[in-house]
């Protein structure tokens, strides 16, 4: 204690002083050495003291300031809780860099926008040249397309010539080979005929020899099969015997095991029972002695009764002993009788079972033979039925195919008739009347009416909607002459049928429909898609549809209608129509269809030419009846075929079962004979075993006599003992009545002991008798077990012998079977060879005749082919020269090359680049020579029209602008990349700031909880992020839950609670970033006695790792201090004194200061 209660670590003394003079000048000293404030600051920072933020200095104002802090500073000069924590954690070092990078991003964004504006300006200038450039390119493209198509024409011609050349050369080679081959074959065939005749005789002899050998091997194999069946039945019987022996052995072993356990139990229980008998005898003697004592006490009263009781007991004792002896002898004799009778009883049971089985065996065997015959008959029947059903099923299968075709045909015809009928019903009344009157014998039969226009032509089904929409004349009636049309009009007026339109053929212009029409992009005309019954009707069809085009969709239709030199009338396949005037029609939920007959209808059912609705209705009904009948026939056929297939499947399953069951029954029938033989041999033995031997019979009679004698003696003993027991009970009752309750109780104990003793004696006698009987039974069972084992060994030897014989038999049978299969294969091969020889002879003879005529024809064809080869080579050379000329023209236009603007099409379709992906013939197959010639003519006209106003220099100017545009775009890309890099740097700095802040924040939050719980003894505190996604946007909230209160913001607490909360945060911050020195100024001013003590003890604990200088006026704070420093003033000068407070508690002189030093050195 005192000045010596601590140890100074060498080299750790540090004295920092400041001297202030009266003129306000000051200077510093470190360990007595004079220095500047900067030197002091650097020295203290090296020691870990934070002079930048003065975190070592904790003032009462700082504690109060924490409780009043906002979550985040509102201006740059303010400080909120977020800035306060960032300053301590150190994440604010990234703020300045983040601000600089943000400013840089703004600058780069402005620079990029400037570059973007320049790109747009250059792009606008480039776009202004697009039109002129496109016109110039169109001219070049037309020239190139013309050359390309001419080149393709040359290639097509050359390809055709090459193909013809190859075909001719190939044909030439083929004919040469064919001629030489025919001559060689003719020569060989003549020699082969003689050779084949000799070979035929030889093959026939060998075949007959193989057939005889095949029959012999088949017979041998059948004999082996019969032997195999017999041996297998023998094995089955022996295995059954083995199984019975094994079961008997198992049963005898189990019996021996049980008897052994019984013997062990009896041998164990006899000594135990003997010991119990001794104990019970002693107990009875004791109880009798006690009873005797009681009797002595009551001797005067019960003496006569006791003497009478003893007399009766003495009289009863020899009777009981005799009875016990007789009972033991009786039990022993009965056990011997049972052991003597057991073998005969068992043999009688086996004899009865064997006799019963033998009596039933004939019936079972006869039943199995009947079953076998029935199964064999059923097998033959099933096989025959399978053959018949298969034939019937094949017939029905062919019939089903025919009926299916007819059904489809009749249904189609019915549908066509119904469609035509429906179309006819929609016609006007006038048209129907005219068509009906035009029939033979009708009023207009001589008017020359051909029919309704829509019924006189046909079109593919996919264009049905298009033609019904685009053609308004389909309901017009076509007549041959104008006079016929006039007759029809008079007919309508006569019967008031309404209006109708007529087309007279004699007034149609000729030739308009035959003209070649160039359509946009090679589009198909509706006229070209229509087929007519009569060529003379073509002008009428052309009048109805004109040059209307058919487009797959509305977009294509719009392009064809408006984007070419002339307006076209276009209809789409789904019924949208564009007129030459520019109007469009379409839409709605339904479309027109059925106006014209469908091309390639299955039959012209009820041809609409001059047909009426009545006949169509009748035809339609008849066709529907026929179609329904065909459907019914088809269903019936399918049902029959399905039932036949099911029947065949079930028959095959049954045949398979029968094939297994019949051999099995055969073996069972043979097994019955074997079983009968065994039973016949075994019954005499069992009969002998079921009868006792004379010695056994005599012994049994003797034992039975003993039993009767023992029973008679036992009965006499029982009668005598029962009479004495009654007399004894009567005397005992009298004694008990005289002796009182005590005597009765003791008497009951004696009786109980006597009862237990008798019971133990009986158990002991029974155990001895059972032990003796069990040993005898065990000996007999062991003998029976040995006999069963010998039978089992014999049975196993028989099985092994038969198995070995069967194995040898199978080996021989396998050899015979292999010989049979080999002979069968050889016979088949030889038969095939014989058939082949005959066929070869006929074939060669025919070939010799044919080859003679073929030689003359081949020689003439060779001469013709040689001429064709020469002509084709000349054509190929011409086409090569033409293509070379077109390529040289292409090279002369290099200065106008447009390959930079779009992908250039290959000039030569057969160039090397295409050879890897597609064959030249496949490429050229897409082109038509006539179409190419027509397209070249059109392209030349279009090129001539474009050349008038074209500016060929626009291409070069456009490329210069495009180069400038690409340069500006590259500058824009560079600016964009710089901005992206700045953004990445900005995001990285934000990430580092967030990671560093959150790491420190987590540590401070956890320590804050711990500190607050320690200071408040059970409260809780939490630093919460207002925005958890962006901690720096809204700041931090300091929430506190004082003990036994709810959560509150620190601003809503009392003064003491604020101080405790702020101190907990201050201590948590200093735990996160500790310093070796702390100075605290009245931090306990607002705390009560309890909380001051808690804070004081916590600071005392922290003095292990740091030094604390505390300014405090609270006793329970400074009484825990290691040193107390007092400041006082004398003679207008400040002085200090330091004391050790523990020296006062130890009784030393407390008035002696440790140190007294003036501050005005």
């Amino acid at each position: 204690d005192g000045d010596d209660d601590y140890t100074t670590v060498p080299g750790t003394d540090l004295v920092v002083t400041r001297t202030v003079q009266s003129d306000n000048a000051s200077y510093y000293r470190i360990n007595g050495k004079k220095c500047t404030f900067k030197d002091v600051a650097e020295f203290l920072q090296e020691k870990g003291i934070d002079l930048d933020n003065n975190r070592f200095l904790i003032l009462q104002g700082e504690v109060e300031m924490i409780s009043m802090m906002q979550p985040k500073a509102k201006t740059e000069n303010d400080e909120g809780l977020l800035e306060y924590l960032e300053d301590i954690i150190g994440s604010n070092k990234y703020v300045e860099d983040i601000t600089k990078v943000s400013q840089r991003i703004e600058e780069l964004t402005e620079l990029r926008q400037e570059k973007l504006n320049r790109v747009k300006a250059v792009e606008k200038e480039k776009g202004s040249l697009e039109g002129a450039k496109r016109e110039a390119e169109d001219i070049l493209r037309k020239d190139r397309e013309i050359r390309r198509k001419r080149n393709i024409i040359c290639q097509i011609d050359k390809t055709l010539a090459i193909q013809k050349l190859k075909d001719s050369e190939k044909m030439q080679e083929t004919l040469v080979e064919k001629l030489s081959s025919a001559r060689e074959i003719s020569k060989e065939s003549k020699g082969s005929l003689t050779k084949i005749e000799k070979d035929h005789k030889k093959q026939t002899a060998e075949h007959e020899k193989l057939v005889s050998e095949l029959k012999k091997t088949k017979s041998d194999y059948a004999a082996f099969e019969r032997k195999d069946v017999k041996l297998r039945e023998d094995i089955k019987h022996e295995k059954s015997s083995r199984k019975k022996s094994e079961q008997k052995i198992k049963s005898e072993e189990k019996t021996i095991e049980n008897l052994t356990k019984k013997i062990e139990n009896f041998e164990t229980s006899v000594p135990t029972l003997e010991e119990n008998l001794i104990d019970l005898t002693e107990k009875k003697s004791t109880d009798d002695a006690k009873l005797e004592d009681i009797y002595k006490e009551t001797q005067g009263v019960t003496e006569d009764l006791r003497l009478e009781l003893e007399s009766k007991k003495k009289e009863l004792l020899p009777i009981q002993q005799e009875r016990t002896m007789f009972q033991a002898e009786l039990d022993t004799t009965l056990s011997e009788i049972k052991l003597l009778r057991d073998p005969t009883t068992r043999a009688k049971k086996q004899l009865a079972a064997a006799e019963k089985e033998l009596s039933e065996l004939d019936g079972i065997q006869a039943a199995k033979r009947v079953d076998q015959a029935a199964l064999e008959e059923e097998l033959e029947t099933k096989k025959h039925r399978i053959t018949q059903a298969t034939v019937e099923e094949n017939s029905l299968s062919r019939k089903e195919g025919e009926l299916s075709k007819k059904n489809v045909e009749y249904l189609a015809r019915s549908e066509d008739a119904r469609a035509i009928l429906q179309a006819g019903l929609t016609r006007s009344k006038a048209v129907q009347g005219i068509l009906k009157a035009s029939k033979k014998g009708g009023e207009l039969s001589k008017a020359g009416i051909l029919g309704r226009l829509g019924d006189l032509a046909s079109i593919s089904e996919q264009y049905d909607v298009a033609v019904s929409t685009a053609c308004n004349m389909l309901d017009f009636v076509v007549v041959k002459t104008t006079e016929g049309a006039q007759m029809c009009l008079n007919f309508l007026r006569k019967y008031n049928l309404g209006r109708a339109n007529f087309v007279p053929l004699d007034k149609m212009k000729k030739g308009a429909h035959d003209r070649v029409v160039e359509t946009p992009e090679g589009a198909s005309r509706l006229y070209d898609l229509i087929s007519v019954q009569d060529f003379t009707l073509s002008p009428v069809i052309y009048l109805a549809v004109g040059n209307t085009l058919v487009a797959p969709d509305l977009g294509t239709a719009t392009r064809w209608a408006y984007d070419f030199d002339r307006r076209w009338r276009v209809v789409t396949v789904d019924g949208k129509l564009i007129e030459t005037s520019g109007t469009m029609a379409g839409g709605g939920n339904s479309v027109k269809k059925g106006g014209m007959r469908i091309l390639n209808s299955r039959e012209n059912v009820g041809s609409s030419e001059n047909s009426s609705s009545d006949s169509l209705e009748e035809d339609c009904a008849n066709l529907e009846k026929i179609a329904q009948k065909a459907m019914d026939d088809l269903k019936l056929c399918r049902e029959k075929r399905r039932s036949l297939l099911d029947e065949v499947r079930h028959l095959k399953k049954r045949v398979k079962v029968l094939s297994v069951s019949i051999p099995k029954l055969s073996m069972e029938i043979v097994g019955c004979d074997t079983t009968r033989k065994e039973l016949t041999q075994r019954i005499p033995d069992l009969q002998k075993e079921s009868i006792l031997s004379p010695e056994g019979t005599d012994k049994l009679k003797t034992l039975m006599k003993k039993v009767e004698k023992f029973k008679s003696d036992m009965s006499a003993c029982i009668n005598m003992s029962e009479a004495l027991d009654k007399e004894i009970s009567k005397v005992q009752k009298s004694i008990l009545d005289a002796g009182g309750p005590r005597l009765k109780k003791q008497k009951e104990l004696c009786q109980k002991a006597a009862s237990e003793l008798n019971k133990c004696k009986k158990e002991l006698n029974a155990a001895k008798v059972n032990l003796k009987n069990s040993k005898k039974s065990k000996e007999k069972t062991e003998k029976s077990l040995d006999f069963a084992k010998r039978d089992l060994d014999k049975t196993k030897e028989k099985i092994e012998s038969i198995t070995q014989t069967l194995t040898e038999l199978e080996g021989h049978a396998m050899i015979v079977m292999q010989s049979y299969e080999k002979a069968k294969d050889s016979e088949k091969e030889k038969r095939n060879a014989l058939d082949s020889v005959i066929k070869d002879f006929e074939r060669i003879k025919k070939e010799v005749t044919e080859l003679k005529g073929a030689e003359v024809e081949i020689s003439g064809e060779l001469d013709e082919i040689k001429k064709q080869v020469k002509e084709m080579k000349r054509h190929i050379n011409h086409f090569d020269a033409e293509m070379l000329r077109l390529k040289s023209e292409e090279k002369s236009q290099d200065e106008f090359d447009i390959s930079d603007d779009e992908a250039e099409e290959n000039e030569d379709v057969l160039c090397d680049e295409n050879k890897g992906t597609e064959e030249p013939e496949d490429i050229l197959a897409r082109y038509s020579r006539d179409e190419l010639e027509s397209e070249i003519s059109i392209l030349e006209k279009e090129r001539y029209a474009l050349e008038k106003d074209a500016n060929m220099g626009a291409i070069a100017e456009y490329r210069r602008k495009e180069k400038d545009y690409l340069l500006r775009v590259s500058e824009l890309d560079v600016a964009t990349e710089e901005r992206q890099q700045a953004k990445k740097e900005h995001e990285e700095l934000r990430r580092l700031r967030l990671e560093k802040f959150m790491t420190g924040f987590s540590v401070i939050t956890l320590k804050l909880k711990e500190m607050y719980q320690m200071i408040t003894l059970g409260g809780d505190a939490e630093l919460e992020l207002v925005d958890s996604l962006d901690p720096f946007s809204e700041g931090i909230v300091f929430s506190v839950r004082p003990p036994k209160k709810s959560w509150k913001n620190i601003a809503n607490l009392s003064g003491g609670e604020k101080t405790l909360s702020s101190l907990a945060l201050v201590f948590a911050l200093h735990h996160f970033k500790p310093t070796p020195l702390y100075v605290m100024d009245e931090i306990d001013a607002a705390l009560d006695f309890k909380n001051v003590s808690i804070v004081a003890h916590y600071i005392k604990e922290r003095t292990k790792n740091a030094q604390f200088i505390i300014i405090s006026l609270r006793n329970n704070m400074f009484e825990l201090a290691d040193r107390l420093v007092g400041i006082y003033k004398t003679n207008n000068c400040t002085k200090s004194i330091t004391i050790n407070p523990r020296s006062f508690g130890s009784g030393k002189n407390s008035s002696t200061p440790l140190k007294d030093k003036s501050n005005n050195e």
Side-chain angles (χ1 to χ4, degrees), residues 588-618:
N589 295 326
S590 60
V591 294
K592 289 183 179 180
K593 61 188 303 186
M596 183 174 286
R597 286 197 312 112
I598 302 302
L599 185 64
N600 295 329
S601 62
R602 301 162 188 85
E603 266 193 49
N604 288 332
V605 181
S607 176
S608 60
E609 183 177 0
N610 297 331
S611 62
S612 66
S613 60
D614 295 339
S615 63
L616 283 175
E617 181 71 29
E618 187 176 343

Short mmCIF file of all heavy atoms in Angstrom, two decimals, residues 588-618:
data_model
loop_
_atom_site.label_atom_id
_atom_site.label_comp_id
_atom_site.label_asym_id
_atom_site.label_seq_id
_atom_site.Cartn_x
_atom_site.Cartn_y
_atom_site.Cartn_z
N GLY A 588 -64.59 -8.79 -90.60
CA GLY A 588 -65.79 -9.55 -90.27
C GLY A 588 -65.46 -10.91 -89.68
O GLY A 588 -64.31 -11.34 -89.64
N ASN A 589 -66.50 -11.60 -89.23
CA ASN A 589 -66.33 -12.91 -88.59
C ASN A 589 -66.47 -14.07 -89.57
O ASN A 589 -66.23 -15.20 -89.21
CB ASN A 589 -67.34 -13.07 -87.46
CG ASN A 589 -67.10 -12.08 -86.34
OD1 ASN A 589 -65.96 -11.73 -86.07
ND2 ASN A 589 -68.18 -11.61 -85.72
N SER A 590 -66.96 -13.79 -90.80
CA SER A 590 -67.16 -14.87 -91.76
C SER A 590 -66.62 -14.44 -93.11
O SER A 590 -66.43 -13.25 -93.38
CB SER A 590 -68.66 -15.20 -91.88
OG SER A 590 -69.38 -14.06 -92.32
N VAL A 591 -66.34 -15.42 -93.97
CA VAL A 591 -65.81 -15.16 -95.31
C VAL A 591 -66.65 -15.91 -96.31
O VAL A 591 -67.34 -16.89 -95.98
CB VAL A 591 -64.32 -15.59 -95.42
CG1 VAL A 591 -63.45 -14.74 -94.53
CG2 VAL A 591 -64.18 -17.06 -95.04
N LYS A 592 -66.59 -15.46 -97.55
CA LYS A 592 -67.29 -16.16 -98.63
C LYS A 592 -66.49 -17.39 -99.02
O LYS A 592 -65.28 -17.35 -99.13
CB LYS A 592 -67.43 -15.24 -99.86
CG LYS A 592 -68.41 -14.10 -99.68
CD LYS A 592 -68.51 -13.33 -100.99
CE LYS A 592 -69.50 -12.18 -100.89
NZ LYS A 592 -69.60 -11.42 -102.15
N LYS A 593 -67.19 -18.48 -99.28
CA LYS A 593 -66.54 -19.69 -99.76
C LYS A 593 -67.58 -20.58 -100.41
O LYS A 593 -68.79 -20.40 -100.23
CB LYS A 593 -65.83 -20.43 -98.63
CG LYS A 593 -66.73 -20.90 -97.52
CD LYS A 593 -65.95 -21.43 -96.34
CE LYS A 593 -65.03 -22.56 -96.72
NZ LYS A 593 -64.38 -23.17 -95.58
N GLY A 594 -67.13 -21.53 -101.20
CA GLY A 594 -68.02 -22.46 -101.86
C GLY A 594 -68.61 -21.94 -103.15
O GLY A 594 -69.50 -22.57 -103.71
N GLY A 595 -68.12 -20.79 -103.63
CA GLY A 595 -68.67 -20.24 -104.88
C GLY A 595 -68.28 -21.05 -106.09
O GLY A 595 -69.00 -21.08 -107.09
N MET A 596 -67.11 -21.73 -106.06
CA MET A 596 -66.62 -22.51 -107.19
C MET A 596 -66.32 -23.93 -106.73
O MET A 596 -65.96 -24.16 -105.57
CB MET A 596 -65.36 -21.85 -107.78
CG MET A 596 -64.81 -22.55 -109.01
SD MET A 596 -63.43 -21.64 -109.75
CE MET A 596 -64.29 -20.29 -110.53
N ARG A 597 -66.45 -24.86 -107.65
CA ARG A 597 -66.16 -26.25 -107.31
C ARG A 597 -64.69 -26.41 -106.93
O ARG A 597 -63.83 -25.70 -107.45
CB ARG A 597 -66.48 -27.17 -108.49
CG ARG A 597 -67.97 -27.37 -108.69
CD ARG A 597 -68.30 -28.59 -109.56
NE ARG A 597 -67.54 -28.64 -110.79
CZ ARG A 597 -66.60 -29.55 -111.06
NH1 ARG A 597 -66.30 -30.46 -110.18
NH2 ARG A 597 -65.96 -29.53 -112.22
N ILE A 598 -64.42 -27.37 -106.00
CA ILE A 598 -63.06 -27.62 -105.53
C ILE A 598 -62.36 -28.54 -106.52
O ILE A 598 -62.91 -29.54 -106.97
CB ILE A 598 -63.06 -28.24 -104.12
CG1 ILE A 598 -63.80 -27.31 -103.15
CG2 ILE A 598 -61.64 -28.49 -103.63
CD1 ILE A 598 -63.22 -25.93 -103.07
N LEU A 599 -61.12 -28.19 -106.85
CA LEU A 599 -60.33 -28.96 -107.80
C LEU A 599 -59.98 -30.33 -107.21
O LEU A 599 -59.80 -30.48 -106.01
CB LEU A 599 -59.03 -28.21 -108.13
CG LEU A 599 -58.13 -28.81 -109.20
CD1 LEU A 599 -58.84 -28.82 -110.54
CD2 LEU A 599 -56.83 -28.02 -109.29
N ASN A 600 -59.92 -31.34 -108.10
CA ASN A 600 -59.55 -32.71 -107.70
C ASN A 600 -60.53 -33.30 -106.70
O ASN A 600 -60.14 -33.99 -105.76
CB ASN A 600 -58.13 -32.74 -107.10
CG ASN A 600 -57.10 -32.37 -108.15
OD1 ASN A 600 -57.28 -32.62 -109.33
ND2 ASN A 600 -56.02 -31.74 -107.69
N SER A 601 -61.82 -32.96 -106.83
CA SER A 601 -62.81 -33.61 -105.97
C SER A 601 -62.83 -35.09 -106.30
O SER A 601 -62.52 -35.51 -107.40
CB SER A 601 -64.19 -32.98 -106.17
OG SER A 601 -64.62 -33.16 -107.50
N ARG A 602 -63.22 -35.86 -105.36
CA ARG A 602 -63.05 -37.30 -105.49
C ARG A 602 -63.92 -37.87 -106.60
O ARG A 602 -63.58 -38.83 -107.24
CB ARG A 602 -63.37 -37.95 -104.15
CG ARG A 602 -62.46 -37.44 -103.05
CD ARG A 602 -63.04 -37.72 -101.67
NE ARG A 602 -62.26 -37.06 -100.64
CZ ARG A 602 -62.42 -35.81 -100.25
NH1 ARG A 602 -63.34 -35.06 -100.82
NH2 ARG A 602 -61.68 -35.28 -99.32
N GLU A 603 -65.09 -37.33 -106.79
CA GLU A 603 -65.95 -37.71 -107.91
C GLU A 603 -66.87 -36.55 -108.16
O GLU A 603 -67.20 -35.79 -107.26
CB GLU A 603 -66.79 -38.96 -107.56
CG GLU A 603 -66.16 -40.26 -108.00
CD GLU A 603 -67.15 -41.37 -107.93
OE1 GLU A 603 -68.27 -41.21 -108.43
OE2 GLU A 603 -66.80 -42.41 -107.38
N ASN A 604 -67.26 -36.39 -109.40
CA ASN A 604 -68.21 -35.33 -109.71
C ASN A 604 -69.60 -35.82 -109.32
O ASN A 604 -70.44 -36.12 -110.16
CB ASN A 604 -68.17 -34.97 -111.20
CG ASN A 604 -66.90 -34.22 -111.55
OD1 ASN A 604 -66.35 -33.56 -110.67
ND2 ASN A 604 -66.44 -34.32 -112.77
N VAL A 605 -69.79 -35.91 -108.01
CA VAL A 605 -71.06 -36.40 -107.51
C VAL A 605 -72.13 -35.37 -107.82
O VAL A 605 -72.03 -34.22 -107.41
CB VAL A 605 -70.98 -36.65 -105.99
CG1 VAL A 605 -72.31 -37.20 -105.51
CG2 VAL A 605 -69.86 -37.59 -105.68
N GLY A 606 -73.13 -35.80 -108.51
CA GLY A 606 -74.19 -34.88 -108.84
C GLY A 606 -73.68 -33.67 -109.55
O GLY A 606 -73.81 -32.56 -109.08
N SER A 607 -72.96 -33.84 -110.66
CA SER A 607 -72.34 -32.73 -111.37
C SER A 607 -73.33 -31.60 -111.51
O SER A 607 -74.49 -31.77 -111.84
CB SER A 607 -71.87 -33.20 -112.76
OG SER A 607 -71.35 -32.12 -113.48
N SER A 608 -72.82 -30.41 -111.24
CA SER A 608 -73.71 -29.26 -111.17
C SER A 608 -74.20 -28.81 -112.52
O SER A 608 -75.02 -27.94 -112.62
CB SER A 608 -72.99 -28.11 -110.47
OG SER A 608 -71.84 -27.78 -111.18
N GLU A 609 -73.64 -29.39 -113.56
CA GLU A 609 -74.07 -28.96 -114.89
C GLU A 609 -75.51 -29.43 -115.12
O GLU A 609 -75.81 -30.62 -115.18
CB GLU A 609 -73.15 -29.56 -115.96
CG GLU A 609 -73.51 -29.10 -117.36
CD GLU A 609 -72.53 -29.64 -118.40
OE1 GLU A 609 -71.61 -30.35 -118.00
OE2 GLU A 609 -72.72 -29.35 -119.56
N ASN A 610 -76.38 -28.43 -115.24
CA ASN A 610 -77.80 -28.68 -115.48
C ASN A 610 -78.42 -29.58 -114.41
O ASN A 610 -79.34 -30.33 -114.68
CB ASN A 610 -78.03 -29.31 -116.86
CG ASN A 610 -77.59 -28.39 -117.99
OD1 ASN A 610 -77.63 -27.16 -117.82
ND2 ASN A 610 -77.20 -28.96 -119.11
N SER A 611 -77.87 -29.57 -113.18
CA SER A 611 -78.42 -30.40 -112.11
C SER A 611 -79.39 -29.58 -111.28
O SER A 611 -79.25 -28.38 -111.17
CB SER A 611 -77.30 -30.95 -111.23
OG SER A 611 -76.62 -29.89 -110.62
N SER A 612 -80.35 -30.24 -110.68
CA SER A 612 -81.35 -29.55 -109.87
C SER A 612 -81.17 -29.94 -108.42
O SER A 612 -80.54 -30.95 -108.09
CB SER A 612 -82.75 -29.93 -110.34
OG SER A 612 -83.00 -31.29 -110.10
N SER A 613 -81.78 -29.15 -107.58
CA SER A 613 -81.67 -29.42 -106.14
C SER A 613 -82.38 -30.71 -105.77
O SER A 613 -81.98 -31.41 -104.85
CB SER A 613 -82.24 -28.24 -105.35
OG SER A 613 -83.61 -28.05 -105.68
N ASP A 614 -83.48 -31.07 -106.52
CA ASP A 614 -84.21 -32.30 -106.19
C ASP A 614 -83.34 -33.53 -106.39
O ASP A 614 -83.25 -34.42 -105.54
CB ASP A 614 -85.46 -32.41 -107.05
CG ASP A 614 -86.45 -31.29 -106.72
OD1 ASP A 614 -86.33 -30.73 -105.59
OD2 ASP A 614 -87.31 -30.99 -107.56
N SER A 615 -82.69 -33.59 -107.59
CA SER A 615 -81.83 -34.75 -107.85
C SER A 615 -80.64 -34.77 -106.92
O SER A 615 -80.20 -35.83 -106.49
CB SER A 615 -81.37 -34.73 -109.31
OG SER A 615 -80.58 -33.58 -109.57
N LEU A 616 -80.07 -33.59 -106.62
CA LEU A 616 -78.94 -33.54 -105.70
C LEU A 616 -79.34 -34.03 -104.31
O LEU A 616 -78.58 -34.74 -103.65
CB LEU A 616 -78.40 -32.11 -105.60
CG LEU A 616 -77.54 -31.63 -106.78
CD1 LEU A 616 -77.18 -30.17 -106.60
CD2 LEU A 616 -76.28 -32.48 -106.88
N GLU A 617 -80.52 -33.63 -103.87
CA GLU A 617 -81.00 -34.07 -102.57
C GLU A 617 -81.12 -35.59 -102.52
O GLU A 617 -80.73 -36.26 -101.57
CB GLU A 617 -82.34 -33.40 -102.28
CG GLU A 617 -82.93 -33.76 -100.92
CD GLU A 617 -82.15 -33.11 -99.79
OE1 GLU A 617 -81.57 -32.03 -99.99
OE2 GLU A 617 -82.10 -33.72 -98.69
N GLU A 618 -81.68 -36.14 -103.63
CA GLU A 618 -81.87 -37.58 -103.70
C GLU A 618 -80.52 -38.30 -103.75
O GLU A 618 -80.29 -39.29 -103.05
CB GLU A 618 -82.69 -37.90 -104.95
CG GLU A 618 -83.10 -39.37 -105.06
CD GLU A 618 -84.00 -39.61 -106.26
OE1 GLU A 618 -84.56 -38.62 -106.79
OE2 GLU A 618 -84.14 -40.77 -106.67
#
